């Protein structure tokens, strides 16, 4: 009836007649075709009747709420073809502690594939026992992130490998020493020679590890199967959770094929997260440490929510121990909204549907 | 073979080598840089198209047509690949062997892409926040008004608050479509009225009003930022840099083509000289062959005549030897021939007997 009305005043009357609990209520405001038609707008229209403005605004918001081809989350690709011999070298290097200065930590130390590509700690432990500055992000699907690290200081996986190997807390190595150690291994010497024209070099070590990481994609999550048309792949609660996820605006940042990982965002858009948390650290400055631009203070890469159920604790500071806590923080500081406990529960259930097929464990 | 002959052969080989080298050099100079010019132009076209598509995707994100930001990230990979390809095609230019204008144009282009990338990064961050608050604003207003209507016996102040919320919402929507200072001031005044009522409202109304106000403030803060970013993105001279590169490359190609034309003329002249030389050599060869043939013919004729005489002599004899007396006497026929052709040719012979 409402969509059939062509006169704005008729629309106003129709809107005013409905009750807040009707199917046009708050919880469904984003799912309807013209979500901006609320009582407040209706009253405003009675006073102003700005037809053109209403039309433009309705089109603007309706465009963002369409389903189907415009679905803001896309399924992960089912295959990630990479050079198999390089992947094999990278797989071995990934677990090789000789990358670190004292041979005590490898990539897998902080990025355990069995733990969702992270390590389950608030902050990871470096080669000499020191804690790293931030919580280790998951290596799974990292290839789909537009930048690497929480502050996006690496533009590629190769750069990320380079930064970790040389980081004085994480691996503390010098490349000349790493290349010497790896070259001295006859197996590496042979396999590198077969895969790379110039054998064991710093660039080739980075390339091999990055190539392996590009295979760490977790396709076929229940939600991906749902997106591909299997309507029974997720439960009714998870479907409701996805709807809430969109309605509450989580989707504004967590969208795309990686459900995040494609933009930077200030941590604390609505409220001051850091003031409330206390104990500020350098790491809290986020992207500012890279650009020294004041507008980048407390700005971080939006993390991917793929396999998020496996990668607690959450945020760069690992301050949220559970998904429920993380959702609470997001509502308070990023969305500036109240959500019912039921809504949060179904959102967490939806997030659980993002766990895909984990890659095989290295031998 | 004598030393002189060897020297002549070596000299001739060197001359032939020199001529072949000149010919090859001239040919290469005429082909020069033509091979990848069109590849470069195609690459620049690709870059320009990608840049235009990127800007279009920004606008789509702004209007909400695109619902995720992967569209704004994917071009970065393509840009990176195309820039590497451009670097591969134009490496010598960056080494300073080309014109300063072209080097500057390439650097300007890289700088422009970096600048645009940063602006788009900021755009994504601000646009998502703005989009979110704008989309939520009507619901937030409805929540606040609902909270007021649920207050038993709501007083005049609360009713005015409800009206203020509606007014702020309307102006905020107008502001989102056409930001203006007067509208911003009006929104600010409305928010001030809301904040003055802090502490006098029932808790549910206060909470709803606070949420509404925070999202209005977000729109007020983010809308100008997004608009400015859009203007700055549009103003980044990536297209201009590509055009400058295109023009410089075209100018360089024209110069190269012109130079190649000059070399083509040289090649033509050189080829004509070579042909003339070959013709002269061929004529000389033909002439010397004719001389050789003539000499050979004469020599052959003489030889044949001598052979004939010898043959005739074999049958008829020139001398006849008297075995009894031992005298050697010329035969009649040679004598007769000698008499007619060479008088006295046999005199010696006759007298010797």
């Amino acid at each position: 009836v409402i969509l059939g009305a062509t006169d704005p005043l008729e629309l106003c009357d129709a809107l005013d007649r409905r009750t807040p609990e009707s199917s046009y209520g708050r919880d469904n405001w984003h799912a309807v075709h013209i979500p901006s038609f609320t009582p407040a707008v209706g009253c405003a229209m009675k006073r102003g009747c700005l037809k053109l403005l209403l039309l433009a605004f309705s089109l603007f918001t309706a465009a963002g709420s369409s389903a189907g081809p415009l679905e803001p989350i896309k399924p992960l690709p089912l295959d990630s073809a990479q050079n198999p011999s390089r992947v094999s070298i990278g797989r071995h290097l990934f677990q090789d502690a000789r990358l670190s200065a004292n041979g005590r930590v490898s990539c897998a130390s902080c990025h355990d594939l069995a733990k969702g590509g992270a390590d389950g700690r608030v902050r990871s432990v470096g080669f000499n026992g020191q804690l790293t500055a931030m919580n280790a992000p998951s290596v799974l699907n990292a290839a789909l992130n537009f930048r690497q690290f929480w502050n996006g200081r690496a533009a590629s996986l190769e750069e990320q490998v380079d930064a970790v190997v040389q980081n004085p807390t994480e691996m503390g190595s010098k490349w000349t020493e790493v290349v010497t150690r790896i070259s001295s291994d006859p197996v590496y010497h042979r396999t590198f020679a077969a895969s790379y024209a110039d054998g064991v070099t710093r660039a080739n070590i980075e390339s091999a590890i990055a190539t392996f990481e590009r295979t760490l994609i977790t396709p076929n999550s229940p939600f991906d199967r749902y997106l591909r048309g299997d309507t029974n792949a997720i439960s009714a609660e998870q479907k409701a959770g996805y709807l809430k996820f969109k309605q509450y605006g989580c989707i504004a940042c967590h969208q795309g094929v990686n459900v995040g990982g494609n933009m930077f965002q200030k941590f604390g858009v609505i409220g001051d997260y850091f003031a409330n948390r206390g104990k500020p650290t350098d790491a809290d400055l986020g992207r500012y440490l890279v650009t020294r631009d004041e507008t980048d203070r407390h700005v971080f890469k939006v993390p991917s929510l793929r396999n998020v159920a496996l990668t607690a604790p959450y945020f760069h500071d690992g301050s949220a121990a559970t998904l429920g806590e993380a959702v609470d923080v997001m509502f308070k500081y990023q969305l500036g909204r109240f959500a019912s406990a039921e809504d949060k529960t179904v959102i967490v259930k939806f997030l659980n549907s993002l766990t895909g097929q984990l890659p095989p464990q290295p031998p | 073979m004598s030393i002189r002959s060897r020297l002549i052969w070596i000299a001739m080989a060197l001359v032939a080598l020199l001529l072949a080298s000149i010919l090859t050099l001239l040919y290469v100079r005429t082909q020069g840089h033509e091979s990848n010019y069109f590849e470069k132009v195609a690459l620049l076209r690709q870059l320009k198209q990608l840049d235009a598509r990127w800007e279009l995707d920004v606008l789509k994100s702004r209007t909400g047509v695109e619902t995720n930001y992967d569209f704004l990230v994917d071009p970065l990979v393509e840009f990176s690949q195309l820039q590497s390809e451009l670097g591969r095609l134009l490496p010598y230019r960056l080494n300073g062997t080309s014109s300063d204008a072209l080097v500057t144009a390439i650097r300007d282009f890289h700088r422009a892409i970096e600048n645009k990338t940063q602006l788009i990064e900021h755009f994504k961050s601000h646009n998502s926040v703005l989009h979110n608050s704008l989309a939520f604003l009507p619901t937030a207003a409805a929540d606040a008004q609902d909270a007021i209507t649920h207050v038993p016996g709501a007083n005049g102040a609360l009713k005015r608050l409800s009206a203020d919320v509606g007014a702020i919402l309307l102006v905020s929507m107008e502001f989102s479509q056409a930001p203006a200072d007067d509208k911003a001031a009006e929104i600010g005044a409305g928010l001030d009225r809301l904040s003055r009522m802090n502490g006098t409202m029932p808790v549910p109304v206060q909470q709803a009003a606070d949420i509404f106000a925070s999202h209005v403030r977000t729109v007020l803060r983010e809308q100008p930022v997004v608009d400015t970013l859009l203007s700055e993105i549009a103003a980044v001279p990536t297209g201009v840099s590509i055009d400058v590169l295109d023009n410089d490359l075209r100018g360089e190609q024209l110069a190269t083509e012109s130079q190649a034309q000059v070399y083509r003329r040289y090649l033509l002249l050189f080829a004509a000289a070579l042909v003339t030389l070959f013709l002269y050599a061929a004529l000389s060869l033909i002439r010397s062959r004719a001389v050789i043939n003539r000499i050979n013919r004469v020599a052959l004729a003489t030889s044949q005549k001598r052979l004939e005489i010898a043959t005739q002599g074999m049958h008829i004899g020139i001398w006849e030897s008297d075995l009894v007396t031992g005298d050697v006497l010329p035969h009649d026929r040679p004598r007769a021939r000698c008499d007619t052709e060479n008088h006295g040719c046999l005199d010696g012979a006759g007298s010797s007997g």
Side-chain angles (χ1 to χ4, degrees), chain A residues 242-322:
Chain A
Y242 178 47
L243 191 63
K244 299 293 175 192
F245 188 81
K246 291 197 283 187
Q247 289 171 354
Y248 280 114
C250 315
I251 201 77
C253 295
H254 294 285
Q255 30 61 40
V257 72
N258 216 13
V259 202
N262 61 5
M263 65 190 295
F264 293 113
Q265 191 53 269
K266 182 174 178 143
F267 195 1
V269 171
I270 301 293
D272 192 340
Y273 168 80
F274 295 99
N276 290 354
R277 189 204 66 186
K279 296 182 183 173
T281 64
D282 277 352
D284 293 338
L285 296 174
R287 188 139 181 82
Y288 173 81
L289 294 176
V290 181
T291 64
R292 299 290 165 184
D293 180 347
E294 275 302 322
T295 60
D296 284 336
R297 197 175 280 267
H298 304 316
V299 168
F300 296 87
K301 182 187 74 185
V302 174
S304 163
L305 294 184
R306 295 266 175 202
N307 310 298
V308 69
L310 306 176
T311 58
Y314 303 103
F315 307 131
H316 73 284
D317 53 4
S319 59
T322 65

Side-chain angles (χ1 to χ4, degrees), chain A residues 26 29 38 40 50 53 57 60 63 70 72 146 249 252 255-257 262-265 269 296 335-338, chain B residues 62-65 67-70 73 121-122 124-125 128-129 131-132 134-136 139 143 145 174 177 211 215:
Chain A
R26 176 187 60 194
W29 69 269
T38 61
L50 299 172
L53 176 64
F57 189 74
F60 169 74
L70 290 177
F146 82 127
Q255 30 61 40
V257 72
N262 61 5
M263 65 190 295
F264 293 113
Q265 191 53 269
V269 171
D296 284 336
L335 300 172
R337 302 181 196 183
F338 284 119
Chain B
R62 174 68 191 92
T63 54
V65 173
T67 54
N68 72 68
Y69 291 102
D70 284 351
V73 173
E121 290 310 331
H122 283 117
K124 286 189 294 185
S125 307
S128 60
V129 172
H131 205 279
N132 202 28
L134 264 180
F136 178 61
T139 305
D143 285 348
Q145 290 174 325
E174 288 177 317
Q177 298 300 314
I211 289 175
H215 285 276

Side-chain angles (χ1 to χ4, degrees), chain A residues 96-106 127 170-173 181:
Chain A
D96 199 326
R98 281 175 288 185
L99 292 178
S100 63
N102 56 4
R104 289 178 63 181
V105 296
S106 67
F127 74 104
E170 294 170 6
M171 286 190 165
S173 281
R181 286 196 289 269

Side-chain angles (χ1 to χ4, degrees), chain A residues 321-341:
Chain A
T322 65
L323 264 181
E325 285 179 37
V327 169
D328 283 342
V329 170
M330 287 290 104
F331 268 98
K332 187 172 180 184
Y333 296 103
Q334 298 301 107
L335 300 172
R337 302 181 196 183
F338 284 119
S340 66

Side-chain angles (χ1 to χ4, degrees), chain B residues 20-35 252-268:
Chain B
S21 303
I22 293 172
L23 190 66
T24 308
L25 179 72
L26 287 174
Y27 177 76
V28 170
R29 287 295 174 96
T30 57
Q31 301 300 307
H33 306 293
E34 288 177 357
S35 57
E252 192 164 275
Q253 172 62 14
L254 284 175
T256 307
E257 187 58 37
S258 161
Q259 202 178 12
Q261 191 64 29
V262 170
Y263 279 110
R264 275 192 209 102
R265 284 199 200 103
Y266 289 156
L267 182 65
L268 186 66

